[in-house]
Amino acid sequence: MEKLKTDILHILKEHKVGTLATVKNNKPHTRYMTFFNDDLTLYTPTGKDTYKVEEIEKNSNVHILIGYSGEGMGDSFLEIEGTAQIDDSRETKERLWNEEIAKWFNGPEDPEYIVLQITPSTIRYMNDGEKTPQVLEL
């Protein structure tokens, strides 16, 4: 299991853009997001008044695809099932703040800037030859 976790953390370190699917009217609603991680917990900045926030408030189940870089059929990637919650703590917002986020918000104290915290329940490590998928249940 430790090697699997190491492989998963490597993908999270190397790939920051992935898709986030929420549930809207009992159907998936997917968009590209930028992800940061602290161990296996994922964070993604967003605006307070967005559809994804509204959808998560109604149904916190989410699905993330991250890691595929388009290099070829053998690229490893992750399928992550989990739950999302809104984190608008000053500490988290300051920790994640960077120049990319500055394109959309006025600073870590901007009341429109919030962070989605995703706690995985299942992570599938995909497309690494015959030994995948490997599943990490949390």
Side-chain angles (χ1 to χ4, degrees):
M1 263 321 137
E2 202 55 43
K3 176 162 179 2
L4 176 57
K5 183 177 177 183
T6 300
D7 291 342
I8 288 168
L9 289 172
H10 176 74
I11 288 178
L12 293 175
K13 179 181 177 216
E14 296 298 315
H15 299 274
K16 296 300 176 195
V17 176
T19 63
L20 171 70
T22 53
V23 180
K24 178 180 179 179
N25 299 324
N26 285 328
K27 295 183 180 179
H29 186 197
T30 306
R31 75 280 289 155
Y32 284 102
M33 300 292 290
T34 302
F35 294 96
F36 303 91
N37 70 296
D38 180 3
D39 197 41
L40 297 175
T41 302
L42 294 156
Y43 299 88
T44 184
T46 191
K48 182 190 235 174
D49 297 318
T50 59
Y51 288 120
K52 68 186 91 56
V53 171
E54 190 178 302
E55 292 158 9
I56 286 166
E57 286 173 340
K58 291 179 182 171
N59 185 333
S60 64
N61 291 300
V62 296
H63 189 270
I64 295 167
L65 289 175
I66 192 164
Y68 185 79
S69 61
E71 298 296 317
M73 296 291 252
D75 290 357
S76 297
F77 64 94
L78 305 175
E79 294 180 355
I80 302 170
E81 292 177 26
T83 53
Q85 65 185 39
I86 294 158
D87 183 346
D88 64 353
S89 70
R90 179 176 203 84
E91 177 191 339
T92 301
K93 290 166 57 167
E94 286 179 357
R95 185 165 45 96
L96 295 184
W97 185 258
N98 62 49
E99 290 308 309
E100 288 297 311
I101 299 171
K103 294 176 185 176
W104 291 283
F105 302 103
N106 296 323
E109 65 288 335
D110 187 329
E112 290 303 309
Y113 164 48
I114 63 169
V115 176
L116 300 178
Q117 175 184 319
I118 295 100
T119 304
S121 54
T122 303
I123 302 175
R124 286 180 191 81
Y125 178 73
M126 305 293 293
N127 226 17
D128 190 16
E130 292 180 11
K131 64 181 180 177
T132 59
Q134 291 182 48
V135 179
L136 182 62
E137 298 283 348
L138 303 164

